[in-house]
Amino acid sequence: MKRTLLGLIPCSAILLIAAEPVWRDKPIANWTEEDARQILENSPWAKTVTAGVARRPTEAERREGGNMGQPKGVGYDGVEDKKRPLAESIGNPFIPGKPLPSTHPDIRLLVRWESALPVRAAEFKVHENPPPTLSDDGYSIAVYGVPASFAKGDPNSLGKPLKESAALKREGKKDVLPSRVEVFELENSVVVAYLFPLSAEIGKKDDVVEFSALIGRLQVSQHFLVEAMQFQGKLQL
């Protein structure tokens, strides 16, 4: 068995080398547009996630909480339930506990570590503007693809209700809460930008950092491997 495992190591190493993206070994000035797109859409700093969708509260539950009607705004508008036949919505009484089909369409979001140097450089390469946040003093993470809603107004005021329901999580350490959340309206969707304090001091010893957020009814969770978030020998966050 030992001989077999030792024999596999060189092959595994070759496969890992082959799997390395080509942009890693290039100076930023030599990146192609394809390199930049890969960094912005599928890289250690950018991940696509299917959001969980919380059910709508019933009118009775809303009234008990002192509210009337369904909530509106970011993370609520455009997150519509599919209509189901009556029999399907009631369920099958002869199969207790049988889960019902999903009542909402898949909502895929892009979670991107905006403050990382490779991301900033890639955005410049493809002429894509980052969210116009008020400050660069922190770890910035943006969630793209939130369904379009009425998001006109002050970005900081729009993001304030989302501030208490987001965090960066690391094993054995306290959750890091955002110092600010801003919401920006794009042409067909909304981007929510989170700023976390540099005092969190995220480093290689953290191994994995989980970004978690609740945006209206949308539940977002994405893990980032800290070791992979290096470029040219330096950790880029």
Side-chain angles (χ1 to χ4, degrees):
M1 179 60 72
K2 289 184 179 179
R3 289 181 180 177
T4 303
L5 291 175
L6 289 173
L8 288 174
I9 290 174
C11 295
S12 300
I14 292 171
L15 289 173
L16 287 173
I17 293 172
E20 281 289 300
V22 295
W23 52 262
R24 277 202 182 276
D25 297 323
K26 293 182 181 180
I28 290 176
N30 293 344
W31 283 354
T32 64
E33 185 169 328
E34 183 179 349
D35 293 334
R37 287 293 177 194
Q38 184 177 7
I39 291 166
L40 295 176
E41 297 171 5
N42 183 21
S43 71
W45 302 275
K47 305 292 183 181
T48 299
V49 59
T50 300
V53 181
R55 70 171 178 82
R56 287 184 180 275
T58 65
E59 289 301 326
E61 290 170 335
R62 294 283 296 166
R63 285 194 294 271
E64 288 176 4
N67 301 303
M68 297 294 290
Q70 293 294 332
K72 301 289 184 180
V74 179
Y76 294 103
D77 300 346
V79 184
E80 301 299 333
D81 292 331
K82 295 177 181 178
K83 293 183 178 179
R84 295 182 299 172
L86 179 59
E88 188 177 284
S89 63
I90 294 174
N92 189 336
F94 300 103
I95 308 179
K98 180 181 179 182
L100 295 173
S102 173
T103 63
H104 59 78
D106 287 341
I107 296 178
R108 295 174 67 80
L109 305 173
L110 176 66
V111 182
R112 194 158 73 201
W113 206 288
E114 288 290 326
S115 52
L117 173 63
V119 171
R120 294 291 180 90
E123 288 173 335
F124 182 79
K125 181 69 177 182
V126 299
H127 309 291
E128 179 179 316
N129 294 322
T133 53
L134 300 178
S135 171
D136 293 332
D137 189 21
Y139 304 109
S140 180
I141 296 177
V143 179
Y144 291 86
V146 176
S149 62
F150 183 75
K152 296 185 183 298
D154 175 55
N156 197 33
S157 298
L158 291 170
K160 192 173 182 179
L162 307 177
K163 189 176 175 181
E164 301 300 323
S165 55
L168 291 180
K169 302 180 179 183
R170 296 169 291 175
E171 186 175 358
K173 295 184 178 181
K174 291 183 178 180
D175 292 351
V176 182
L177 304 181
S179 56
R180 186 169 69 255
V181 181
E182 297 173 298
V183 176
F184 302 95
E185 188 175 36
L186 304 180
E187 184 176 355
N188 296 311
S189 63
V190 166
V191 57
V192 182
Y194 297 83
L195 189 70
F196 296 90
L198 291 175
S199 59
E201 296 184 337
I202 299 172
K204 295 179 183 178
K205 292 183 179 180
D206 290 313
D207 293 332
V208 178
V209 178
E210 178 189 359
F211 169 74
S212 178
L214 181 64
I215 305 172
R217 294 173 61 200
L218 302 178
Q219 300 166 330
V220 185
S221 179
Q222 178 60 52
H223 292 83
F224 291 91
L225 300 179
V226 177
E227 182 69 23
M229 299 171 76
Q230 296 187 71
F231 180 66
Q232 296 182 345
K234 293 183 179 180
L235 186 60
Q236 298 292 348
L237 302 174

